[in-house]
Amino acid sequence: KKLDGRPVIASDSDDNRYFKRLRVGQNCVVLESMDSGGDYAPVILALPGQGSNCLEQVWPVAGVLFELPN
């Protein structure tokens, strides 16, 4: 829960990796895109050990660099 609302790299039990913002709910976690364009849907995962596709690991991200558009 200490990473709630922060950018993370997360892995799920299907061996996928995501770079998204972590939102912790009561029964699930939501990985939401940090791209304001709306092109990438959120990913909803079960809590660790509580579903067929669940959150496995989370790594905090120290910082993010974005290029300015031309």
Side-chain angles (χ1 to χ4, degrees), residues 18-55:
Y18 306 95
F19 171 57
K20 296 196 178 249
R21 179 175 291 114
L22 178 70
R23 297 291 184 191
V24 180
Q26 289 198 318
N27 300 319
C28 66
V29 294
V30 178
L31 301 173
E32 57 185 24
S33 177
M34 293 185 295
D35 180 6
S36 62
D39 294 333
Y40 304 99
V43 176
I44 300 171
L45 299 172
L47 295 174
Q50 296 186 6
S52 61
N53 189 18
C54 60
L55 183 68

Side-chain angles (χ1 to χ4, degrees), residues 2 17 26 48 59:
K2 68 181 181 179
R17 304 280 190 276
Q26 289 198 318
W59 298 272

